[in-house]
Amino acid sequence: MYNPKSRKATEFIDHQEILDSLAYADANCRNAALIDEILEKARQLKGLSHREASVLLACQLEDKNQEMYALAEQIKKDFYGNRIVMFAPLYLSNYCINGCVYCPYHAKNKGIARKKLTQEEIRAEVIALQDMGHKRLAIEAGEDPANNPIEYILESIRTIYSIQHKNGAIRRVNVNIAATTIEEYKMLKEAGIGTYILFQETYHKESYQKLHPTGPKSNYDYHTEAHDRAMEAGIDDVGLGVLFGLEMYRYEFAGLLMHAEHLEAVFGVGPHTISVPRVCPADDIDPGDFDNGISDETFARIVACIRIAVPYTGMIVSTRESQTSRERVLHLGISQISGGSRTSVGGYVEEEKPEDNSAQFDVSDHRSLDEVVKWLMDMGYIPSFCTACYREGRTGDRFMSLCKSRQIMNCCHPNALMTLKEYLTDYASPATRAVGEDLIQKELANIPSEKVRRIVMERLERIAAGERDFRF
């Protein structure tokens, strides 16, 4: 029976409750009065239940769908303004003992080139990322206790944080590794990580077990309950996600929101981020083998409905998506994107040869970070390299209380401008710098507090003169 406060995966992700919610959504997909009621509730900016949001996702009334898209865009602006946080993935190792049938890292794949970075190779990768202008990384590694033990992950984090190159520094390392124990999550907390990210892949237990036939990841309950253990260990911020295309998208959508409701019910803090990857081509993986693929239009609806249902949560889209697809969903709720990404092990230092492919998936958006930054600014967004909240202790319930009250903008907007100024000064091409300087001047005029505006202007001058890392 569905119980969001339960610590048992099959109770806070209750199969029958999902089926009942989908049936309710089907029965009300043309119920204009109910849909109006749900949209009105959403306008109060306190979110929706998984069942209410499922009705919006199933809605068959075009005028209501347009209202929904407009509302998602407004909610995104209300909570996040025009800022887009930048990050890059860093793949440490693709050794893996799991049998996940949708991932090229699976243990039976003998065609993929297996690689694991040494600490010196990590150093070279990080310098390459710093030379692009990145300040925030998400480290990735396959699950392999022999090749990728927790000690290797911790040593790699220490290495990343230790590297100062010119004006470059990685200020925050987020971690996307396999489900583990409370003791090891405590180690990650002590290492100073930002967000612990773990994708469920699919919330449908029967499908999950078929898709994960072998390896430790095959344990549905242990995997699904990982975020609870991470938060029990003191990690304030966790990230959720499913791989759309593995199971019926409406089922996954409901499960994802039920997981968010569970974290809120138990810990008082929902997910810090939600990611929305789709199955895409990779070595030994053909998306056509999975019959639940979704169209770009459906993808946009999912993003909009998540944004309405959990307005306080950051939403991430990676370079799995094309420029066109990313542009659409940026307007509807996405608040973080990667740029200049490489999904192969060691891919930032050396262009990989086809015969040495070690990538987890094929990148669709191949533009450089500078190109992505300029593209964002041309659309009126502020690319933000800010990591101040982590380092100032604005995490967990403290961050969420500021975000839900929309007070976080008072910190995030100045920090976004200052970190953008750092990027423009240190890394940007002349064309990007020109667009960025104009944008900063325009945004300064929009800061409502004269005192804050003066402080930001003074710090921008000091950044131009060579100082770094100012924080609100």
Side-chain angles (χ1 to χ4, degrees):
M1 181 170 293
Y2 178 52
N3 178 6
K5 291 187 176 181
S6 173
R7 295 299 186 92
K8 294 182 178 180
T10 51
E11 292 182 4
F12 65 79
I13 307 293
D14 180 75
H15 176 66
Q16 189 58 51
E17 169 60 22
I18 294 179
L19 296 182
D20 290 347
S21 295
L22 300 187
Y24 178 79
D26 285 336
N28 289 285
C29 65
R30 294 183 178 275
N31 185 338
L34 177 62
I35 292 166
D36 278 340
E37 183 180 316
I38 293 171
L39 289 171
E40 186 55 37
K41 178 182 177 181
R43 290 187 181 96
Q44 306 308 308
L45 305 180
K46 298 186 185 300
L48 298 174
S49 71
H50 63 275
R51 185 168 289 203
E52 292 165 333
S54 293
V55 173
L56 293 187
L57 187 62
C59 176
Q60 296 295 310
L61 302 174
E62 185 56 28
D63 59 332
K64 302 305 176 188
N65 285 333
Q66 293 309 311
E67 277 189 57
M68 178 188 69
Y69 285 131
L71 179 57
E73 189 164 359
Q74 186 58 52
I75 289 174
K76 194 275 184 80
K77 290 176 181 176
D78 288 343
F79 279 87
Y80 290 94
N82 59 344
R83 294 170 295 103
I84 301 294
V85 172
M86 309 303 301
F87 77 97
L90 174 59
Y91 283 78
L92 302 179
S93 170
N94 63 2
Y95 284 94
C96 192
I97 61 173
N98 287 311
C100 314
V101 303
Y102 52 84
C103 177
Y105 289 5
H106 68 84
K108 291 184 179 180
N109 184 3
K110 304 305 181 184
I112 195 170
R114 299 289 176 176
K115 296 182 181 180
K116 172 185 174 181
L117 298 179
T118 66
Q119 297 307 306
E120 274 306 304
E121 289 170 332
I122 290 172
R123 179 179 175 82
E125 289 283 288
V126 169
I127 288 174
L129 284 157
Q130 289 174 346
D131 281 342
M132 291 183 198
H134 279 295
K135 306 295 183 187
R136 176 194 302 239
L137 300 184
I139 61 172
E140 321 260 355
E143 184 169 12
D144 186 328
N147 285 292
N148 313 326
I150 191 65
E151 291 77 14
Y152 171 69
I153 302 299
L154 297 172
E155 183 183 9
S156 300
I157 293 169
R158 288 192 294 270
T159 296
I160 292 167
Y161 278 141
S162 73
I163 300 166
Q164 301 289 323
H165 173 67
K166 298 179 182 177
N167 283 331
I170 300 304
R171 296 171 179 166
R172 187 50 48 201
V173 175
N174 296 334
V175 174
N176 185 352
I177 62 170
T180 188
T181 63
I182 291 177
E183 291 71 25
E184 292 194 353
Y185 284 128
K186 287 180 179 178
M187 296 179 190
L188 291 171
K189 170 70 173 178
E190 291 168 3
I193 73 165
T195 304
Y196 172 69
I197 303 161
L198 183 67
F199 296 169
Q200 179 62 24
E201 320 298 4
T202 176
Y203 284 100
H204 192 290
K205 186 171 183 178
E206 183 178 343
S207 294
Y208 184 97
Q209 291 170 332
K210 290 177 181 177
L211 291 162
H212 305 89
T214 59
K217 194 171 177 177
S218 62
N219 187 330
Y220 175 91
D221 290 358
Y222 187 77
H223 185 86
T224 313
E225 295 161 6
H227 299 86
D228 288 61
R229 295 193 299 277
M231 296 187 84
E232 286 173 22
I235 295 176
D236 292 331
D237 295 330
V238 297
L240 306 180
V242 293
L243 185 54
F244 285 100
L246 298 181
E247 183 50 70
M248 188 176 75
Y249 72 89
R250 291 173 57 209
Y251 189 102
E252 307 291 30
F253 175 85
L256 187 62
L257 294 185
M258 290 167 77
H259 202 164
E261 291 166 358
H262 163 71
L263 295 177
E264 185 84 40
V266 174
F267 299 99
V269 179
H272 189 70
T273 58
I274 289 177
S275 299
V276 287
R278 288 192 279 182
V279 175
C280 68
D283 182 87
D284 195 43
I285 303 298
D286 180 357
D289 293 340
F290 305 94
D291 56 8
N292 289 291
I294 57 175
S295 67
D296 288 352
E297 182 60 34
T298 297
F299 183 60
R301 286 175 65 90
I302 289 169
V303 170
C305 289
I306 292 174
R307 172 48 64 223
I308 292 170
V310 279
Y312 56 82
T313 295
M315 291 185 66
I316 301 174
V317 70
S318 75
T319 51
R320 283 176 182 263
E321 296 296 328
S322 68
Q323 176 180 339
T324 301
S325 175
R326 300 217 291 178
E327 185 167 329
R328 175 84 188 279
V329 296
L330 276 171
H331 299 305
L332 297 175
I334 296 299
S335 58
Q336 295 188 28
I337 67 170
S338 52
S341 301
R342 301 288 185 273
T343 64
S344 54
V345 181
Y348 291 106
V349 170
E350 194 171 322
E351 194 70 30
E352 193 166 62
K353 299 174 183 176
E355 63 269 22
D356 296 327
N357 181 31
S358 64
Q360 190 182 37
F361 59 87
D362 291 351
V363 169
S364 294
D365 188 343
H366 294 274
R367 292 173 298 167
S368 68
L369 177 60
D370 191 76
E371 290 172 316
V372 172
V373 167
K374 184 176 183 298
W375 166 67
L376 289 171
M377 294 190 301
D378 285 339
M379 292 188 291
Y381 291 109
I382 306 171
S384 174
F385 296 85
C386 178
T387 59
C389 281
Y390 294 112
R391 294 179 296 148
E392 295 294 327
R394 292 190 293 265
T395 57
D397 57 0
R398 186 179 175 202
F399 173 86
M400 284 299 173
S401 64
L402 289 169
C403 188
K404 290 177 181 179
S405 65
R406 289 179 282 165
Q407 296 302 308
I408 196 68
M409 293 261 296
N410 297 328
C411 302
C412 292
H413 192 255
N415 285 325
L417 294 178
M418 290 187 293
T419 58
L420 175 59
K421 179 68 173 182
E422 289 180 339
Y423 176 82
L424 297 174
T425 303
D426 293 338
Y427 308 105
S429 65
T432 298
R433 186 176 301 118
V435 173
E437 295 292 355
D438 287 345
L439 179 63
I440 287 175
Q441 292 307 310
K442 184 186 301 182
E443 291 296 327
L444 281 171
N446 293 330
I447 296 177
S449 166
E450 178 64 31
K451 179 180 178 181
V452 172
R453 185 161 57 250
R454 285 200 307 270
I455 293 171
V456 173
M457 290 174 66
E458 181 264 339
R459 291 181 179 180
L460 291 174
E461 290 177 0
R462 291 168 67 182
I463 290 169
E467 295 186 56
R468 294 291 177 273
D469 200 13
F470 293 104
R471 310 174 210 163
F472 266 79

